[in-house]
Amino acid sequence: AQTVTQSQPEMSVQEAETVTLSCTYDTSESDYYLFWYKQPPSRQMILVIRQEAYKQQNATENRFSVNFQKAAKSFSLKISDSQLGDAAMYFCAYRTLRRGNQFYFGTGTSLTVIP
Amino acid sequence: DAGVTQSPTHLIKTRGQQVTLRCSPKSGHDTVSWYQQALGQGPQFIFQYYEEEERQRGNFPDRFSGHQFPNYSSELNVNALLLGDSALYLCASSGKGPTSTDTQYFGPGTRLTVL
C-alpha cells in the first residue's frame, strides 16, 4: 500500500513570511495525483492544491505552490506571504488511480502563524 | 450550491451500541467515500460507494457497513461500538464515478465519542 510521510508534526511562521511543509510518499505506480488539504479547527477539509504526477510543471494557486520531485517522491508545499488565516493542520495526500481512486493521507503538519 | 453535508455534528454512544452517520454529496456528485480520522492522525479510508454499491474498501472490519441511496446520499453504520471507534468521520464526494480524477470534496465531519 502507498504510504505518505509528513515528518514535521508542527511548524510556525511569522506573518508575511514564507514557510515550506514537507511530504514524501512511497509508491510503485507511475501515474497518480498528489494533494495538499488544509483542515482548520472547524474540521472542514479544504483543498489547497493538486498535482498530477504526469505533469512536470509544479502547480501553483495564488500564494501556494508545490515543489514536486517525482524521482525523489517528494511533494512539498510552499506558502508565501503567510496570513493568520493560513493557520491550520495541513495534510498531504496521495491518490492512486487504481482501486477506486483511493486517497492515502499523511499524519499532518500543524501550522501556526505568528502575528 | 451546497457542498458536502453530514449529520449529526456530534454523537455520543456507549460501547456495544450501533450508530448511523449520514452524508449528502455535493450537487452533481455521484460517488461517496468515508474516512475515519482519529485524534492527531490523518484520515483513513473506510469504503467508497458508487451506483448504490460498495466499490472499494479499506482495512476496516465488517462492523463498518454502508449504504448509498438513489439520490447519491450515503450512510455509514458501525455496529458493536468499541472505544477505539471514537473519531471524526469524514464523508467525501466526487463526480463521474470511482475512476474519475475529479477533485474529492470533504464534508465537515461527524465527531463520534464512544464511552
Side-chain angles (χ1 to χ4, degrees):
Chain A
Q2 283 71 18
T3 57
V4 178
T5 302
Q6 293 180 250
S7 59
Q8 306 155 315
E10 297 179 346
M11 291 283 286
S12 62
V13 62
Q14 293 280 348
E15 197 176 1
E17 296 296 309
T18 295
V19 64
T20 298
L21 308 184
S22 302
C23 173
T24 59
Y25 57 95
D26 184 27
T27 185
S28 59
E29 299 173 349
S30 60
D31 201 12
Y32 48 87
Y33 286 71
L34 295 165
F35 300 81
W36 280 96
Y37 277 91
K38 167 185 176 181
Q39 189 177 41
S42 64
R43 309 181 319 201
Q44 184 108 32
M45 195 83 78
I46 302 166
L47 176 67
V48 175
I49 199 164
R50 139 181 173 153
Q51 174 81 43
E52 292 86 345
Y54 66 85
K55 290 186 178 178
Q56 293 186 340
Q57 187 173 7
N58 290 323
T60 62
E61 282 290 340
N62 301 314
R63 298 182 295 107
F64 299 87
S65 62
V66 298
N67 183 5
F68 173 47
Q69 301 289 329
K70 191 172 184 179
K73 297 179 183 176
S74 170
F75 183 62
S76 61
L77 174 69
K78 186 171 82 170
I79 306 174
S80 304
D81 185 26
S82 296
Q83 301 176 359
L84 295 177
D86 294 334
M89 183 72 82
Y90 285 80
F91 290 97
C92 177
Y94 173 102
R95 184 183 196 182
T96 175
L97 298 186
R98 307 173 186 173
R99 299 186 298 280
N101 292 337
Q102 183 173 329
F103 274 68
Y104 298 86
F105 285 84
T107 52
T109 296
S110 178
L111 179 66
T112 300
V113 180
I114 303 166
Chain B
D1 176 24
V4 180
T5 60
Q6 292 185 244
S7 62
T9 305
H10 296 87
L11 205 51
I12 299 175
K13 292 287 188 178
T14 56
R15 280 178 297 176
Q17 285 190 311
Q18 179 266 342
V19 68
T20 298
L21 311 181
R22 296 177 176 81
C23 170
S24 291
K26 181 177 170 63
S27 178
H29 286 183
D30 56 12
T31 304
V32 174
S33 299
W34 286 92
Y35 294 82
Q36 180 194 65
Q37 186 178 12
L39 196 62
Q41 299 295 316
Q44 298 289 318
F45 176 75
I46 303 175
F47 44 53
Q48 181 187 71
Y49 275 83
Y50 172 66
E51 292 186 333
E52 302 179 47
E53 290 186 8
E54 182 182 297
R55 299 291 177 164
Q56 297 292 334
R57 189 178 185 91
N59 189 26
F60 279 81
D62 292 343
R63 297 187 298 108
F64 290 78
S65 63
H67 188 77
Q68 186 179 34
F69 300 92
N71 67 353
Y72 309 121
S73 66
S74 177
E75 288 182 348
L76 163 65
N77 301 293
V78 187
N79 294 322
L81 284 167
L82 304 174
L83 295 179
D85 294 331
S86 294
L88 179 68
Y89 287 85
L90 296 169
C91 169
S93 74
S94 57
K96 306 174 189 174
T99 59
S100 166
T101 56
D102 280 5
T103 295
Q104 196 166 130
Y105 291 85
F106 284 82
T110 293
R111 171 72 66 190
L112 173 64
T113 302
V114 182
L115 302 176

